[in-house]
Amino acid sequence: MSHDSLKHLTEMDPLTLESLLTRYGQEVWNYAFFITKNRVMSDDITQDVFIQVYRHVTSFRGEASVKTWLMKITRNISYNYRNSAFFKKVFLINIVSGEHNHSAEQSFIEKEATNAVWEQVFNLPTKYREVLVLHAKYQLSIKEIADILKIPQGTVKSRLFTARKKMSVLLKKEEFR
């Protein structure tokens, strides 16, 4: 499926949805995890993203890539989850109970997150972590990141510069431990 294949789509059929899920499902889950730092919530968010896509495909106007559109939806839903009282309760319960559900994808992300570099990424403030992840991991352009975050491109550039600088300092500290 090309990035442009949804440009003229007015209805979502199950095959197209399955194709989107196959192509972008893991990236949606990963981005949700980077925002929430919670595996169970990331599963729910991923499901909600694709339900929204299925229900509201006509809102895709083809002004951005499908990937950018999905990341924007993922971000909005992730922040809604993260800010809800339900998320706070579940997150605290999971921390206290040590509850872990591990799928193959989750195990991969957990392994990646234990890598020293990703541990340091998680130590960055959200506004810096988010631009760094969208740029480095998802290889989105400055313009695409600005569209997703609804901030000026100059702000994205500034945050990206600061994130890289902070990462450099964090990694140097880690090196000397």
Side-chain angles (χ1 to χ4, degrees), residues 73-164:
I73 294 169
T74 303
R75 181 179 191 271
N76 291 339
I77 291 173
S78 295
Y79 276 98
N80 288 344
Y81 267 80
R82 200 178 83 169
N83 295 334
S84 74
F86 176 75
F87 170 82
K88 290 173 184 160
K89 287 177 191 171
V90 170
F91 187 71
L92 288 174
I93 289 168
N94 285 348
I95 288 172
V96 171
S97 69
E99 181 182 312
H100 298 289
N101 290 338
H102 296 287
S103 69
E105 298 87 34
Q106 292 166 348
S107 294
F108 172 76
I109 292 298
E110 187 174 19
K111 193 176 195 179
E112 189 174 356
T114 58
N115 173 298
V117 173
W118 287 111
E119 283 181 19
Q120 296 307 325
V121 170
F122 280 110
N123 288 329
L124 290 174
T126 303
K127 68 182 186 179
Y128 301 120
R129 181 176 69 236
E130 195 165 38
V131 295
L132 190 62
V133 166
L134 288 171
H135 187 70
K137 183 155 182 64
Y138 295 103
Q139 299 178 335
L140 296 179
S141 70
I142 300 294
K143 182 186 180 329
E144 289 172 320
I145 295 168
D147 290 345
I148 289 170
L149 302 181
K150 298 178 183 164
I151 58 176
Q153 289 183 41
T155 303
V156 172
K157 288 177 186 175
S158 171
R159 287 183 185 178
L160 196 53
F161 176 80
T162 303
R164 288 176 176 149

Side-chain angles (χ1 to χ4, degrees), residues 34-97:
F34 277 110
I35 293 171
T36 65
K37 298 182 185 179
N38 183 287
R39 288 173 205 70
V40 175
M41 282 295 148
S42 298
D43 290 342
D44 292 343
I45 290 164
T46 300
Q47 185 175 25
D48 284 356
V49 166
F50 286 99
I51 288 170
Q52 290 298 319
V53 166
Y54 188 82
R55 288 183 181 158
H56 304 289
V57 70
T58 55
S59 71
F60 180 71
R61 296 182 301 269
E63 295 168 358
S65 70
V66 172
K67 184 177 183 177
T68 301
W69 183 57
L70 288 171
M71 292 297 138
K72 187 179 274 189
I73 294 169
T74 303
R75 181 179 191 271
N76 291 339
I77 291 173
S78 295
Y79 276 98
N80 288 344
Y81 267 80
R82 200 178 83 169
N83 295 334
S84 74
F86 176 75
F87 170 82
K88 290 173 184 160
K89 287 177 191 171
V90 170
F91 187 71
L92 288 174
I93 289 168
N94 285 348
I95 288 172
V96 171
S97 69

